[in-house]
Amino acid sequence: MMLERISTGITGLDSLIEGGIPKGFTVLIAGNPGTGKTVLTSQFLYDGLTKNENGIYVSFSEADYSFYNNTGRLGMNFKEFQEQNKFSFLDFSAVTQQGIQDALEEVLATIIETNAKRIVIDSFTAIVQSFLNLNEARIALHVVLGKMLRAQGVTTMVIGEVPSGTSHIGSGFEEFVADGIIKLEPGISNASPFIVKVIKMRTTLIDRQPHIALIKEHGMIVLPKQPIELYNVSSSTRIKTGIMGLDERIGGGLLEGSITAIIGDSGVGKTTFALEFLVKGVINGQPGIYLTLEETYEELKRSPGVANHNLDNLTGNGLVVLTSLLENQSPDEILNELEKQIIKTRPKRVVIDSLSSFENYYKDEMYVITKRLVSLLQKYHLTVMITYQNSHLAEPHQASMPKVLSLFQNIIILKYIEEKFKMKRSMFFLKLRASEHDNSILEFVISEEGLKMIGPMHHYEGTLSDINQQIYRKSQKTEDEIPAQQRAATKTLLSEFDRDETEILNTEIIKRKNRKIKSKKPLGIDDKNHVVDKKHVIQK
């Protein structure tokens, strides 16, 4: 038998309780002070009024003028419905213990008179305190809420107070009287101001996860959580990055639908890499979304390699740039907006810059947030680049990185390498799933033309262990470390030899010349220091 369900009127809340509250149920809305209980219940009533379901607000704590002012600021005009006899506000804020029974009788009479279908009682705690003992309160409320209102087909929300610093609801028995319990808790920041939890709803499959709630211009909304699901992302189609010298080193491009993590030091070129990948795609007719969590649109416009393409011309013609700040928006809200844009623009490429921003605020939730993000991107079969700032991949304090690495099909590491007191940029492919790729440490540069591959850095070793060491094959000293007079003498002497045949140190050659060796042929040099036989190898 299908239950008739009543919408809460709260965007995102009905989906947590199979589409709504079963008709005739009494639902306890419990929460700490200032968590939005009055806003939620008011929206529940107003949603019914807009659907021709009369309503009543019973207040034991708030005067009518305060109620009308607060709800009016959120665009709910209850006075209009009151004038049409569709809404009633019953003010019992001054009721005493002797008058509580009369108040409940008046509530029942108003329900019958106005044919009300939805009712809010504010608050449960105030009613309980009006009885002489808890047992009398429990009996009375069980009869009124559990039988009389349900018999009238009225769906009820009752506000329950949760004192600050505690977790129990009111007097304790409210949880057993109610058919359902929705709890509101204070959030951790302005980006996550309220947390909604569905604790109980009889005959209903409920989502028990904590969800972030926001109060916007037109009331409360509950942010949905991106579900974590597995999607088939296998593809043999290659998507060219457009970066000079890169595609031929990774099998012709990235596999369509794959997610690539670009990991590296600050300023090494992660944003330039990802932005150029996106822009080149847009130019070639593949729409793209760029979600930035750290930079403004104006800063992106000045990025090397894309300044010549003029982002203003591309925006609206295949390119969408989303700017979000985690100080103002929660991960759930950001993912929600991203999905709306994906549905609207149908992109082929997406860039998230940077994933490490989430770690700064949600370190303990990093793996789950990343998994929800990956699930969303794979759902729409997008080719994605995600940047992540990580100066030293192997350091213990970067414990969250190894946990999320398995979620990406491709991982590209960008690193600085020091050479002669200067920094060079390098790149290597830690993982490219189902792709043959170059295993070299590759040098790249960033110029006005963008990011360009130079080639393998054969003269370095120890890059993966963060001990970058240059290999010297001809000399143990750099040219700048040898005195000028000694360099001149070395240059004159070496001009008489084939460099490929002399593996001796320059300093040793000079010493031998200074000794004026007069031996006939031990070193292949005559008395005039002329080469006699170049095939001989100079030995000590």
Side-chain angles (χ1 to χ4, degrees), residues 111-126:
I111 290 173
I112 296 172
E113 180 184 348
T114 62
N115 192 28
K117 297 300 179 184
R118 303 191 186 197
I119 182 173
V120 169
I121 299 177
D122 181 11
S123 69
F124 205 113
T125 306

Side-chain angles (χ1 to χ4, degrees), residues 393-407:
L393 186 62
E395 285 193 3
H397 72 273
Q398 298 288 353
S400 63
M401 273 310 299
K403 295 180 182 178
V404 301
L405 288 182
S406 61
L407 301 177

Side-chain angles (χ1 to χ4, degrees), residues 37-103:
K37 300 181 297 296
T38 301
V39 174
L40 189 155
T41 54
S42 298
Q43 283 183 247
F44 165 70
L45 282 182
Y46 201 77
D47 178 71
L49 294 173
T50 61
K51 296 174 179 176
N52 203 30
E53 297 177 4
N54 294 352
I56 302 174
Y57 194 97
V58 182
S59 176
F60 289 88
S61 58
E62 185 178 25
D64 58 351
Y65 65 86
S66 178
F67 173 81
Y68 290 130
N69 287 338
N70 292 334
T71 56
R73 294 179 61 184
L74 297 174
M76 292 180 277
N77 188 357
F78 279 98
K79 286 187 176 181
E80 178 184 357
F81 290 99
Q82 185 180 38
E83 293 171 357
Q84 301 172 17
N85 296 321
K86 294 183 178 181
F87 172 72
S88 302
F89 186 94
L90 302 181
D91 184 358
F92 297 127
S93 56
V95 73
T96 62
Q97 291 182 352
Q98 292 74 21
I100 186 63
Q101 200 68 39
D102 293 335

Side-chain angles (χ1 to χ4, degrees), residues 3-10 13-29 40-41 44-45 47 53 117-120 150 153-158 179-182 198 200-204 206:
L3 287 174
E4 182 180 351
R5 294 187 178 271
I6 306 299
S7 173
T8 61
I10 307 296
L13 181 55
D14 289 347
S15 62
L16 308 183
I17 51 176
E18 281 196 85
I21 302 168
K23 184 177 180 180
F25 270 29
T26 296
V27 178
L28 178 64
I29 308 299
L40 189 155
T41 54
F44 165 70
L45 282 182
D47 178 71
E53 297 177 4
K117 297 300 179 184
R118 303 191 186 197
I119 182 173
V120 169
R150 180 174 292 183
V154 177
T155 306
T156 308
M157 281 190 176
V158 182
D179 299 303
I181 302 173
I182 298 175
V198 180
K200 167 185 172 183
M201 192 69 66
R202 290 181 179 134
T203 68
T204 302
I206 62 176

Side-chain angles (χ1 to χ4, degrees), residues 299-363:
E299 289 175 317
L300 291 176
K301 286 170 60 176
R302 295 192 294 269
S303 296
V306 299
N308 295 333
H309 296 300
N310 194 337
L311 289 188
D312 290 334
N313 293 338
L314 297 177
T315 303
N317 291 304
L319 175 64
V320 175
V321 178
L322 300 178
T323 302
S324 297
L325 291 176
L326 285 170
E327 291 83 354
N328 302 326
Q329 293 180 293
S330 68
D332 289 339
E333 187 174 8
I334 291 173
L335 294 185
N336 189 37
E337 289 189 4
L338 176 59
E339 183 169 25
K340 289 179 180 178
Q341 281 295 333
I342 290 173
I343 294 172
K344 180 180 178 180
T345 61
R346 296 294 179 183
K348 295 295 184 182
R349 306 186 184 199
V350 171
V351 166
I352 311 294
D353 185 19
S354 145
L355 189 65
S356 50
S357 298
F358 289 110
E359 188 177 44
N360 295 333
Y361 293 91
Y362 304 94
K363 187 174 182 179

Side-chain angles (χ1 to χ4, degrees), residues 12-13 15-16 183-185 192-198 206-214 221-226 330 332 372:
L13 181 55
S15 62
L16 308 183
K183 192 173 182 181
L184 297 171
E185 299 175 354
S192 306
F194 312 112
I195 305 297
V196 174
K197 295 180 180 178
V198 180
I206 62 176
D207 184 342
R208 297 181 182 274
Q209 293 186 91
H211 287 71
I212 294 172
L214 308 173
I221 63 171
V222 176
L223 298 176
K225 284 192 177 296
Q226 174 63 37
S330 68
D332 289 339
R372 293 187 189 281

